[in-house]
Amino acid sequence: ITRQLVIEWCNVHERDISMAEFAEADEVFMTSSIRDVQALKRLDARSWGKKDIPVTRAVSDEWARREPGDLDP
């Protein structure tokens, strides 16, 4: 449900990517019903550290703004 709402509310286009493209990503986030929207900081040997995360922050902010008003997704 969280993923689908993020796609809808944030005008996201979901697509498959290669592992090489994933490894080159500037930022990565995940969605979860428990954790909402959360930046991914490390996966295996790849680390995104504490870089600026404008897309993740924008998605997280939009989630925080809209989720309380949508009691029946």
Side-chain angles (χ1 to χ4, degrees), residues 47-70:
S47 176
W48 288 273
K50 294 188 178 197
K51 292 182 178 182
D52 188 32
I53 52 170
V55 174
T56 303
R57 187 163 285 114
V59 171
S60 182
D61 289 350
E62 184 67 10
W63 176 265
R65 184 180 75 77
R66 294 184 72 167
E67 188 270 337
D70 195 338

Side-chain angles (χ1 to χ4, degrees), residues 36-50:
D36 300 333
V37 177
Q38 183 170 0
L40 189 63
K41 295 182 180 182
R42 186 178 62 218
L43 181 66
D44 294 334
R46 176 66 160 102
S47 176
W48 288 273
K50 294 188 178 197

Side-chain angles (χ1 to χ4, degrees), residues 11-25:
N11 196 28
V12 171
H13 174 76
E14 183 179 39
R15 66 181 178 86
D16 293 334
I17 62 171
S18 68
M19 288 304 291
E21 193 175 5
F22 178 74
E24 294 297 317

